[in-house]
Amino acid sequence: MYTITSPRMPLRTTNRRRAACAVASLGLGTALLSAGPTAVAAGPAACESPAKVLGLTSNWKIQLPVDDPNASGTQPLEIKQPALASYDNAPWFTPTSACDGVKFRAAVNGATTTNTSYPRSELREMTNNGASNASWSSTSGTHTLIIDQAINRLPSTKSHVVAGQIHDGNDRSVFRLEGTSLYVTKDNDTHHKLVTDNYKLGTEFEAKFVVGGGNIKAYYNGVLQTTIPVKFTTGYFKAGVYTQANCGNSSPCDTSNYGETTLYNVSVKHS
């Protein structure tokens, strides 16, 4: 058994990091009141790195929608541990202004992997302190992903994003927002289970997958949405934003046109 996790908190509950940032944001007036008329007020403290904000351990890497400067040809940038622990790349992977979450952004003109035409800013599950790709079976053990997140922005024209995945070379099941309709998918069935047809951008929710006994169970805010029978042996989890649009089906073709999520917590458990 192993777990890669950040400390779990109920949705919309203030934690110590949020409280500390709120104190910092009070600014000059509060500092002068507490320190006296001759004090020099300090500005708000800088946020920690995205990995520290989310409490990510070593078993993640991130794929970003920007070109890798060290690659031959065009391919997206990957950051692995130990570099990920202190890595920040605004606006694609960076803390919120309140230091209470991490924003993931992927523009329609972003770099893509070889097996897709869509850009992503996503964490990919790893093992062995980040040295190996995670790979587990849907019929052996129990595998759980929980993401506390909000979808903030959709690309224009084709207004679709994916926010949380079970993958094994194929998209086994994902949370997918199309306009205001949030779905849980099943393989190539992108409309397998309608979760809500009235999702409002910026609304925080808990997405949860539990895989075991040859089934995927998908939950939204703690309520079971669907049970999907499936067998695979090379599974792994992904979290962040996978924008389902590109310059061929969405305009403008520039960095102002993007999908974005905020993750407040992400945890994985295998038992």
Side-chain angles (χ1 to χ4, degrees):
M1 178 182 74
Y2 65 91
T3 303
I4 53 179
T5 182
S6 60
R8 295 278 299 127
M9 297 173 291
L11 293 181
R12 294 166 290 279
T13 296
T14 300
N15 60 22
R16 286 179 294 178
R17 182 177 293 113
R18 298 188 195 193
C21 290
V23 170
S25 68
L26 291 176
L28 178 62
T30 300
L32 290 176
L33 284 172
S34 61
T38 60
V40 176
C47 295
E48 296 177 303
S49 68
K52 290 180 180 177
V53 170
L54 287 179
L56 302 177
T57 65
S58 59
N59 286 323
W60 291 105
K61 70 177 180 181
I62 191 165
Q63 298 167 312
L64 292 167
V66 297
D67 290 334
D68 184 344
N70 298 315
S72 56
T74 300
Q75 67 181 58
L77 180 64
E78 284 193 349
I79 304 296
K80 300 180 179 180
Q81 293 287 3
L84 180 62
S86 58
Y87 185 77
D88 186 324
N89 190 336
W92 315 112
F93 175 62
T94 195
T96 62
S97 59
C99 309
D100 60 351
V102 173
K103 293 185 291 185
F104 293 74
R105 181 184 295 189
V108 296
N109 63 339
T112 66
T113 59
T114 55
N115 59 351
T116 183
S117 60
Y118 296 138
R120 71 183 81 221
S121 176
E122 278 192 311
L123 298 168
R124 199 271 195 212
E125 185 188 3
M126 305 291 284
T127 59
N128 299 326
N129 294 319
S132 306
N133 289 337
S135 182
W136 40 261
S137 171
S138 66
T139 60
S140 177
T142 301
H143 317 279
T144 304
L145 169 69
I146 303 175
I147 314 170
D148 293 341
Q149 65 182 342
I151 300 171
N152 308 324
R153 176 85 172 246
L154 298 173
S156 63
T157 315
K158 188 173 185 283
S159 302
H160 303 171
V161 301
V162 164
Q165 298 191 58
I166 301 172
H167 214 272
D168 77 326
N170 295 300
D171 300 335
R172 288 299 184 178
S173 187
V174 309
F175 279 83
R176 179 185 180 94
L177 182 64
E178 299 184 3
T180 62
S181 296
L182 182 65
Y183 297 93
V184 174
T185 72
K186 175 185 176 184
D187 293 323
N188 293 325
D189 181 358
T190 57
H191 297 163
H192 169 67
K193 174 61 170 67
L194 178 65
V195 174
T196 177
D197 63 0
N198 192 33
Y199 180 80
K200 293 179 173 58
L201 293 178
T203 302
E204 188 177 347
F205 66 95
E206 182 187 85
K208 179 179 178 181
F209 286 119
V210 180
V211 186
N215 291 298
I216 295 171
K217 293 182 182 293
Y219 299 80
Y220 175 78
N221 287 341
V223 178
L224 179 64
Q225 300 296 311
T226 184
T227 299
I228 302 170
V230 65
K231 293 183 179 180
F232 55 83
T233 58
T234 57
Y236 56 94
F237 292 124
K238 302 191 83 171
V241 66
Y242 182 19
T243 297
Q244 301 292 285
N246 57 34
C247 289
N249 54 34
S250 182
S251 67
C253 178
D254 59 39
T255 56
S256 70
N257 186 12
Y258 58 87
E260 184 182 88
T261 63
T262 296
L263 269 61
Y264 299 97
N265 285 285
V266 57
S267 64
V268 169
K269 182 177 180 181
H270 299 280
S271 58

